[in-house]
Amino acid sequence: MVTQFPTPPPVPQVPVLPDQSPQDDFAITFAPLSLGEVYQLADDPANGAIVLMSGTVRNQTDGKPVVSLEYQAYEPMAINIFRTIAQELRQQYPEVNRVVIHHRTGHLKIGEISVIVAVGCPHRGEAFAACQYAIDTLKHNAPIWKKEHWADGSSSWVSIGACEEE
């Protein structure tokens, strides 16, 4: 006698949003970020420009010496925010063909890269504008928290949405 089991339902796949390229790439990682890797992921034969923004850990905030930063993230939600950013970019700049957003978590030393955003477009104007929109929106909306470790041994968390006005 052979026991027959019902056929399991298909495994759901993460849908690609309608305005998202399957070639976009989003990551939250403990591993060091690579400018070369992100550039390659943003590259496309239709590009006339790739604009890449690299955020690094600096040695001071408002003149107060910083020795390191610590990042924590709610990864599933952050990745969804990254996808939403790509979707919004394509609504504002329809010629965007690649969006890459990678962010570190964990303890980072001075000079280490904490975030890289790259946007590939046929034209530089849209690439610059889209890249700036992406990093500004990420800083305001993504559930990624930063703790600054000061030279005097103290530390403090920087609240989400505490963006620099530049």
Side-chain angles (χ1 to χ4, degrees):
M1 180 159 139
V2 175
T3 305
Q4 292 189 358
F5 296 98
T7 305
V11 176
Q13 298 203 1
V14 176
V16 173
L17 297 173
D19 294 325
Q20 177 188 338
S21 167
Q23 297 166 337
D24 290 347
D25 194 78
F26 311 114
I28 302 282
T29 181
F30 283 105
L33 300 179
S34 166
L35 293 169
E37 176 189 350
V38 169
Y39 186 91
Q40 287 180 332
L41 289 167
D43 200 8
D44 183 274
N47 286 342
I50 296 172
V51 173
L52 188 142
M53 196 293 303
S54 169
T56 58
V57 178
R58 63 181 175 254
N59 65 0
Q60 59 82 31
T61 297
D62 296 328
K64 188 173 179 181
V66 172
V67 294
S68 63
L69 296 180
E70 180 182 339
Y71 285 95
Q72 292 185 11
Y74 178 46
E75 185 174 348
M77 189 176 184
I79 296 295
N80 282 336
I81 295 292
F82 296 174
R83 286 189 180 111
T84 299
I85 290 168
Q87 185 178 25
E88 291 170 356
L89 285 180
R90 289 193 170 86
Q91 289 170 354
Q92 293 181 45
Y93 310 99
E95 292 186 345
V96 167
N97 59 48
R98 299 278 175 97
V99 179
V100 181
I101 303 173
H102 289 187
H103 204 296
R104 288 277 308 269
T105 54
H107 198 93
L108 282 71
K109 298 175 185 172
I110 303 301
E112 287 190 83
I113 299 170
S114 58
V115 61
I116 303 175
V117 175
V119 177
C121 289
H123 304 286
R124 70 180 179 276
E126 291 86 357
F128 274 109
C131 190
Q132 181 168 0
Y133 175 86
I135 188 61
D136 290 347
T137 304
L138 178 157
K139 288 186 71 155
H140 281 284
N141 297 341
I144 299 170
W145 300 275
K146 175 173 72 173
K147 186 176 192 179
E148 295 178 310
H149 294 271
W150 308 103
D152 66 7
S154 66
S155 62
S156 61
W157 287 99
V158 177
S159 66
I160 190 168
C163 300
E164 299 171 14
E165 296 296 324
E166 295 183 34

